[in-house]
Amino acid sequence: MATFDFNSITKALSDNNRTTSGVDFSGKSLKLDTEKDAQPIVDAINKCPDLQYLTLTGNTLGVAAAQAIARALEHHPELKVARFSDMFTGRMKTEIPPALSALGDGMIAAGARLQSLDLSDNAFGPIGVEGLAKLLESEVCSQLQELRLNNNGLGITGGKLLAKALSSSPRRLKVFVAGRNRLENDGAKALAAVFQNMGTLEEVAMPQNGIYHVGITALSEAFRRNPRLSTLNLNDNTVGAKGAAALARALPSLKNLKTMNFGDCLLKSKGAKALAKAFKDNSHTLESLDLSHNEIGREACMEVVDSIMATDKLNKLVLAGNSLGGASNKKTIRDKLGSCAELSDGEGGSDDEYVTDSEEEDEGSDEEAESENEDSDSDDTQINESADIVRDVTLDSSGVEEIETDVGKFLREPTIENLNRLGSNAAEVIDTHLQSIKDTSDLIQAYVEATFCVSGLSDQNATAADVANQLYPLLIKRAGQRHAAAWILADAMLRGLGLIKSENKNYKIRWLLPPCFTCLGSVIEQAYFPGALRDTLRFFIASKLPLLPAATSAAINRAGALKQS
């Protein structure tokens, strides 16, 4: 680890007259697999005496390359900006957490204090957050002002893990970007709880996340605690009337709000009117407002226009894709707002482009539709689109008997007795039974569960241990025969070993974990075992070891092969 003087570092970082310098390898499309591949970047880092930024955007890093770069970073406590977007193209999801963890360890060892971290456009999903968590929780991010995680495929689980990492100690973010992540209500609520304690947010962008009014309401309450907020982008979420009402209640606290993007949010007339009333009743400094494609009726559109006319700073109001009425109505809007009004998509659009039969809409029917839309989410559950279709369908099942195979019974109830029923060639019987599964994900999941069901019995029965040792190479072989299956295999094994949580609420671990780790330890060094999978499993085992039950930890410690070398 590099040695350094904290006093000299603090003095250097506080010098505002320093010339910005750093290393930029953006857009070079380098494929960096090995330490040798990464050498040009390592050399550039080592030659830079004042590494304030490092940009690796548009290249692809493997674990060994990331570790080499990390060792170079250990000597640069002055690093402020890490631009690591679009950095894992073509990589398996299982490679990304160890690579992220290595880069984080390098910055932690250096004692760096990041101000900006960009990991956008890396589809690492929830397990990627596992590799990122240590960095976010460390002192390296104690002064972080910008966090950009756009298009990372976080999902609900990733959103919760991210919120947990950010809440480990006080954070003072100014910019938070996390669009296109399918955070949904639960992910949004988890992050909202973190935002409430910040009070420093100036820009929040969370478009295309499948958030309904429940999550929007939680976020709105958090925004009230962040009075410096100037830019808010919730485009393409289902805000609806209830969400709009919650946002309207927050507006009096947001005196610095300049840019709002609520396009494609299904506001409808009721939601638009709620926002219009808030604009009218409270002084505001809006410069740009996007309410496009929200099924807003003519009357509500006019209320929005009238409500924001008081500001002299407005330079853009987008109402395209709503029922604005005929040419005379649009002329009235343009006369009131001038060139800042955008009433159609693109150039050359007809004045009558969005005139529909709904321009004289019935307000009662609008409210009814809105209520139907949002009541489906009132219990914060997922919408079951097929429920109405199948509710009244009854199938005649008379004379039909369910036939359960011996393999099926064992997988449902993994006991020694049920395993013995499979005979002396149990591994072959299980393999034959499972090969009929067509879907790649389902097949790999089934092989992993079968392997763990048998492994869980290995401390009770020597035959079970032998069968488990026979199943592992079959599991690796069958997964290897399927296209792009490596990350599915790693994900299934991590969930089956209890090292990451499953997003499927019905997922249950039916096997004992300590003997599963013992069996894994006996095969993980075998030649057939993929190196990337071995590294990933060891990474997660090491990070989770202090949190595991005593019996499981003891089994891992006895199986030395499971520990990182």
Side-chain angles (χ1 to χ4, degrees):
M1 180 186 296
T3 59
F4 46 86
D5 181 357
F6 273 107
N7 291 327
S8 62
I9 292 169
T10 302
K11 181 179 179 181
L13 294 179
S14 63
D15 183 1
N16 295 325
N17 295 320
R18 284 194 306 161
T19 302
T20 302
S21 61
V23 170
D24 186 347
F25 272 77
S26 61
K28 295 187 180 298
S29 300
L30 301 175
K31 190 174 188 295
L32 310 173
D33 295 320
T34 65
E35 181 176 344
K36 182 179 179 181
D37 294 337
Q39 197 60 46
I41 296 176
V42 170
D43 291 342
I45 292 173
N46 290 336
K47 291 177 182 177
C48 184
D50 189 19
L51 187 76
Q52 296 179 50
Y53 64 83
L54 174 61
T55 305
L56 300 178
T57 299
N59 300 292
T60 175
L61 269 68
V63 177
Q67 290 171 340
I69 294 171
R71 287 192 291 272
L73 289 178
E74 290 183 4
H75 304 281
H76 291 279
E78 73 278 9
L79 184 66
K80 288 184 178 180
V81 178
R83 302 185 186 102
F84 295 159
S85 61
D86 189 18
M87 203 172 65
F88 297 106
T89 300
R91 298 291 171 183
M92 295 184 297
K93 287 188 178 181
T94 52
E95 292 181 88
I96 300 175
L100 286 175
S101 180
L103 293 171
D105 287 345
M107 291 183 277
I108 291 171
R113 295 293 182 268
L114 288 180
Q115 293 182 1
S116 178
L117 175 61
D118 187 355
L119 284 161
S120 299
D121 300 314
N122 292 306
F124 48 60
I127 64 172
V129 185
E130 297 270 3
L132 184 61
K134 182 179 178 182
L135 174 64
L136 291 175
E137 293 171 355
S138 73
E139 287 298 304
V140 173
C141 292
S142 61
Q143 299 172 22
L144 194 66
Q145 297 180 16
E146 295 186 15
L147 179 58
R148 299 180 184 273
L149 295 168
N150 199 62
N151 191 29
N152 292 125
L154 299 181
I156 295 172
T157 300
K160 290 181 176 179
L161 290 172
L162 176 62
K164 181 180 178 182
L166 291 174
S167 63
S168 61
S169 58
R171 292 290 179 262
R172 295 291 179 261
L173 290 177
K174 293 182 179 180
V175 177
F176 179 82
V177 177
R180 300 183 66 186
N181 274 299
R182 297 303 307 177
L183 295 170
E184 302 187 19
N185 284 331
D186 285 348
K189 287 163 62 179
L191 289 168
V194 178
F195 295 163
Q196 284 214 19
N197 297 322
M198 285 185 181
T200 53
L201 286 171
E202 297 178 8
E203 176 184 344
V204 174
M206 299 174 66
Q208 296 182 339
N209 270 297
I211 307 172
Y212 282 72
H213 71 88
V214 175
I216 297 295
T217 299
L219 288 170
S220 299
E221 290 299 313
F223 296 154
R224 295 174 70 174
R225 306 284 186 88
N226 289 267
R228 301 177 194 171
L229 191 65
S230 63
T231 300
L232 178 58
N233 181 357
L234 295 175
N235 183 281
D236 203 7
N237 291 289
T238 308
V239 174
K242 293 180 181 178
L247 288 164
R249 290 193 295 271
L251 284 176
S253 302
L254 304 178
K255 302 297 186 182
N256 294 305
L257 197 58
K258 296 179 180 179
T259 302
M260 293 175 62
N261 186 343
F262 295 158
D264 289 292
C265 285
L266 205 63
L267 294 175
K268 295 196 172 183
S269 292
K270 189 174 180 181
K273 288 183 176 183
L275 292 175
K277 186 177 187 305
F279 295 145
K280 188 174 182 179
D281 292 347
N282 300 278
S283 60
H284 54 84
T285 57
L286 272 182
E287 296 177 3
S288 176
L289 174 62
D290 189 338
L291 298 180
S292 60
H293 301 281
N294 271 298
E295 300 184 21
I296 304 171
R298 180 183 61 188
E299 180 184 338
C301 284
M302 292 305 297
E303 287 191 25
V304 171
V305 170
D306 291 338
S307 70
I308 62 175
M309 284 184 60
T311 180
D312 58 357
K313 296 184 178 180
L314 189 73
N315 55 47
K316 184 178 182 181
L317 171 62
V318 186
L319 290 172
N322 296 296
S323 298
L324 301 174
S328 60
N329 265 42
K330 293 179 181 179
K331 183 178 184 302
T332 300
I333 295 174
R334 289 194 178 95
D335 288 342
K336 290 184 176 183
L337 297 177
S339 60
C340 70
E342 294 187 14
L343 308 182
S344 62
D345 291 321
E347 295 296 328
S350 167
D351 277 345
D352 296 325
E353 186 174 354
Y354 296 104
V355 178
T356 68
D357 291 336
S358 64
E359 64 177 279
E360 297 290 349
E361 66 183 38
D362 181 350
E363 199 62 38
S365 64
D366 182 59
E367 292 180 9
E368 182 180 346
E370 180 63 41
S371 175
E372 181 180 349
N373 233 329
E374 296 196 344
D375 285 346
S376 64
D377 193 54
S378 58
D379 294 327
D380 200 16
T381 59
Q382 295 293 318
I383 299 174
N384 184 354
E385 297 179 345
S386 62
D388 292 334
I389 299 174
V390 302
R391 184 179 293 124
D392 299 324
V393 177
T394 302
L395 300 179
D396 181 7
S397 59
S398 60
V400 177
E401 296 180 1
E402 181 179 355
I403 300 175
E404 184 176 43
T405 65
D406 286 340
V407 174
K409 186 172 183 179
F410 169 72
L411 296 179
R412 183 168 53 83
E413 298 178 23
T415 63
I416 296 294
E417 180 182 3
N418 287 337
L419 178 62
N420 289 336
R421 287 182 178 179
L422 302 182
S424 58
N425 58 340
E428 182 179 342
V429 171
I430 292 172
D431 183 41
T432 302
H433 178 83
L434 297 182
Q435 282 189 67
S436 62
I437 300 174
K438 302 298 182 185
D439 180 80
T440 296
S441 181
D442 291 344
L443 177 135
I444 292 173
Q445 183 66 41
Y447 269 91
V448 168
E449 292 191 9
T451 302
F452 287 158
C453 282
V454 176
S455 298
L457 302 172
S458 61
D459 63 340
Q460 308 172 38
N461 185 281
T463 299
D466 290 339
V467 175
N469 287 335
Q470 296 170 40
L471 280 176
Y472 263 108
L474 290 171
L475 164 63
I476 302 300
K477 180 180 179 181
R478 300 307 176 208
Q481 292 170 343
R482 298 297 180 101
H483 176 65
W487 74 266
I488 301 177
L489 174 58
D491 184 68
M493 291 189 68
L494 289 170
R495 284 187 282 113
L497 292 169
L499 296 173
I500 63 174
K501 292 182 179 180
S502 173
E503 293 191 36
N504 182 357
K505 296 180 180 179
N506 296 321
Y507 183 83
K508 292 182 179 179
I509 293 178
R510 306 183 302 281
W511 43 85
L512 294 175
L513 289 176
C516 285
F517 280 100
T518 300
C519 282
L520 177 62
S522 69
V523 302
I524 198 168
E525 293 283 5
Q526 295 296 320
Y528 65 78
F529 208 96
L533 178 60
R534 182 188 303 120
D535 292 342
T536 298
L537 292 172
R538 284 173 170 168
F539 167 77
F540 279 94
I541 289 170
S543 63
K544 296 291 185 179
L545 188 59
L547 306 176
L548 296 176
T552 302
S553 298
I556 292 171
N557 288 326
R558 286 194 298 270
L562 296 179
K563 294 184 177 181
Q564 288 180 315
S565 55

